Amino acid sequence: MASSKSYFFIGIGGSGMMPLAMILAGQGARVAGSDRALDQGRVPAKFAALAALGIALHPQDGSGVTSPDQIVIASAAIEPSVADIVAADRVGAQRLSRAELLSELFNRAPLSIGVAGTSGKSTVTGMIGWILHSLDREPTVMNGAVMKNFARPETPFASALVGEGDLFVSEVDESDGSIALYRPTVAVLNNVTLDHKSLEELRALFGAFIAHADTAVINVADAEAAVLAQALPAARRLTVAVEGPADLTASNIAEAPFAVSFDLSERGAAPVRVALQVPGRHNVANALAAIGAVRAAGVKLADAVEAIGGFKGLKRRFDLVGTGGGVAVIDDFGHNPDKIAATLDTLHAFPGRLLVLFQPHGYGPLKVMRRELVDSLAARLAAEDRLILPDPVYQGGTVTREVTSADIVADLVARGASARHVADRADAAAALIAEARPGDRIVVMGARDDTLSLLAADMVAALAARAEAVRIDTTL
């Protein structure tokens, strides 16, 4: 059992590593770790939260890996030359990837729900976790984002939930191919779109994933997912679609700035009204997938509908940070064409200019999705909107910079979009603040960088300070 073992996480602050470490600690295992961000003094509150759970934190210099009895977990971003890896090899400690450890815990569960797709995984995972928790099913939940329903002052980074039941709910990652390790009881497939891998690779990975499940919940409104669904026997698939033929369908959608409601019909039965506290048509699709998953796990439809109405959303998923001087600042995880499209479409359903700061999440992804990213942005930026791209996030290691933020901006400008490259992120934020006026919405977008949330909060403070300075000046 995990509780009798000792684990050392290299990169313990990562969005996939932290919740896994929290689950093991919650199950009674001895957990320690290191992180480059800890050594650099970035996001200290995150590491304070880990320490509060009894997790020992060490510099990433090899000093924390001292015994062959430790199981050393390394994220995909960790290079062989990192001191902790060298120390693990020196002492003969067992090494596992994050996915190998997570899939071991996941596959061991009597009832496992795995959530896959290139967009919406974290939200659907959070929705499923909240429904099951609300109904006292005591799930263990592994998420890549902080779930607002479970966040408390003492647990601000609630990206995991440790339950006593037989259910294990987890998002599963296709970006490194590790999705092949999972054997879900219930598999959820939201969509199949370009992100880290080619479509050919994604089709193979997602197709194999749903084939392993007893029941696959598939969004057949997504063309690629619909094709994969046809490969499964009808008895092993549960289909969902927004305004389309499926086992679970949504219609009569009513959007609000930070909410959405719709009619839900199950296999042609009389519709029931569903009210969500998160906005956008994409969250209607997410809700259908979550309700489909819990239905496959034995939850009554009426119970699922009532429970999902209490879901408060995730941090960094269309997250209203605050308002300053009449300008709203929204923190968002949008980083691939689909996620960015969903956020911009949701915002453009209501009046107000968009000022977007998009920090790409790496040079490699920019190279893979350059054309699709430019197409998505160019199609959705209105004439009055403004977009600024700083340089991609870089936190050390080797990287090939074949496609840069400047290249994306050049492509967008050639398409007639108002886009600028401002290399330094702080300068990019300052430029948007200087341009913002009441009624605007500033959107901070990007992945793999927790400090984006701090930047968004700083922008709210700067906008409020500017508004106060103007107020004082006009009263003198």
Side-chain angles (χ1 to χ4, degrees):
M1 294 296 291
S3 60
S4 66
K5 298 178 181 178
S6 176
Y7 297 87
F8 189 94
F9 284 75
I10 307 174
I12 196 168
S15 62
M17 296 284 272
M18 184 173 180
L20 183 53
M22 293 164 66
I23 288 171
L24 288 171
Q27 292 176 343
R30 297 186 303 279
V31 180
S34 66
D35 199 284
R36 186 181 291 151
L38 173 66
D39 295 347
Q40 296 170 350
R42 290 189 281 117
V43 200
K46 171 185 286 189
F47 298 105
L50 286 169
L53 295 174
I55 295 173
L57 299 173
H58 299 267
Q60 202 169 86
D61 60 5
S63 61
V65 183
T66 59
S67 169
D69 296 328
Q70 290 173 293
I71 299 173
V72 176
I73 315 302
S75 70
I78 301 300
E79 298 166 317
S81 59
V82 169
D84 287 339
I85 293 288
V86 174
D89 291 342
R90 183 176 65 249
V91 302
Q94 179 185 357
R95 284 172 47 187
L96 292 175
S97 69
R98 182 195 71 87
E100 286 171 335
L101 176 58
L102 174 58
S103 62
E104 179 183 319
L105 299 176
F106 180 89
N107 294 339
R108 187 188 301 157
L111 202 167
S112 57
I113 302 176
V115 183
T118 38
S119 298
K121 292 190 293 290
S122 297
T123 297
V124 174
T125 300
M127 286 176 167
I128 295 169
W130 174 246
I131 294 169
L132 295 172
H133 175 81
S134 299
L135 299 175
D136 298 320
R137 293 287 295 271
E138 288 288 324
T140 293
V141 182
M142 160 77 195
N143 207 331
V146 174
M147 297 173 282
K148 292 182 180 180
N149 289 88
F150 303 117
R152 303 286 185 273
E154 65 276 14
T155 56
F157 295 90
S159 54
L161 182 68
V162 181
E164 299 295 330
D166 61 358
L167 278 154
F168 197 116
V169 183
S170 180
E171 64 171 290
V172 297
D173 187 16
E174 81 287 346
S175 65
D176 59 358
S178 62
I179 190 174
L181 299 173
Y182 298 86
R183 299 294 182 268
T185 310
V186 178
V188 178
L189 179 57
N190 292 336
N191 40 53
V192 183
T193 55
L194 197 67
D195 193 345
H196 299 90
K197 292 184 176 294
S198 69
L199 278 174
E200 290 74 16
E201 292 174 290
L202 293 174
R203 289 168 186 141
L205 288 169
F206 289 135
F209 174 69
I210 62 175
H212 288 306
D214 293 345
T215 303
V217 179
I218 304 172
N219 175 19
V220 292
D222 179 87
E224 291 284 348
V227 171
L228 295 178
Q230 292 303 312
L232 294 178
R236 290 179 49 214
R237 65 177 187 245
L238 190 162
T239 58
V240 304
V242 175
E243 296 177 336
D247 297 316
L248 285 173
T249 61
S251 60
N252 297 323
I253 297 169
E255 294 192 64
F258 291 94
V260 66
S261 61
F262 61 97
D263 286 342
L264 170 65
S265 299
E266 184 176 49
R267 298 184 177 93
V272 294
R273 195 69 181 168
V274 180
L276 302 178
Q277 297 184 52
V278 290
R281 292 174 64 90
H282 62 292
N283 274 320
V284 175
N286 289 337
L288 289 177
I291 292 171
V294 299
R295 291 289 287 132
V299 173
K300 294 179 180 178
L301 181 65
D303 291 340
V305 168
E306 181 179 1
I308 203 170
F311 177 68
K312 297 178 181 178
L314 308 177
K315 292 285 188 182
R316 299 221 64 237
R317 298 325 189 259
F318 207 97
D319 192 7
L320 178 62
V321 180
T323 302
V327 179
V329 178
I330 296 165
D331 187 20
D332 191 72
F333 192 67
H335 62 281
N336 66 29
D338 258 21
K339 289 183 173 74
I340 290 170
T343 296
L344 296 184
D345 287 346
T346 300
L347 285 163
H348 274 309
F350 300 92
R353 188 172 64 143
L354 303 185
L355 307 182
V356 182
L357 188 155
F358 170 44
Q359 177 181 273
H361 62 296
Y363 290 92
L366 274 189
K367 179 181 177 182
V368 170
M369 59 186 182
R370 176 177 182 171
R371 180 175 61 82
E372 291 79 5
L373 181 62
V374 170
D375 286 347
S376 183
L377 286 166
R380 288 171 175 83
L381 289 170
E384 67 274 15
D385 293 341
R386 300 292 182 267
L387 170 68
I388 294 182
L389 272 72
D391 286 341
V393 61
Y394 174 70
Q395 296 170 350
T398 57
V399 64
T400 302
R401 307 186 183 199
E402 294 182 42
V403 178
T404 68
S405 293
D407 294 325
I408 302 300
V409 166
D411 292 348
L412 286 166
V413 170
R415 298 276 292 272
S418 178
R420 293 169 56 196
H421 170 231
V422 178
D424 181 77
R425 193 179 73 181
D427 292 341
L432 288 183
I433 290 169
E435 184 165 351
R437 56 181 185 252
D440 287 346
R441 284 83 52 83
I442 290 179
V443 190
V444 177
M445 283 185 168
R448 295 182 181 171
D449 186 352
D450 294 327
T451 65
L452 285 169
S453 294
L454 303 179
L455 177 71
D458 288 344
M459 293 177 80
V460 173
L463 288 162
R466 186 184 69 175
E468 178 63 13
V470 171
R471 186 192 67 80
I472 293 174
D473 186 58
T474 58
T475 59
L476 295 178

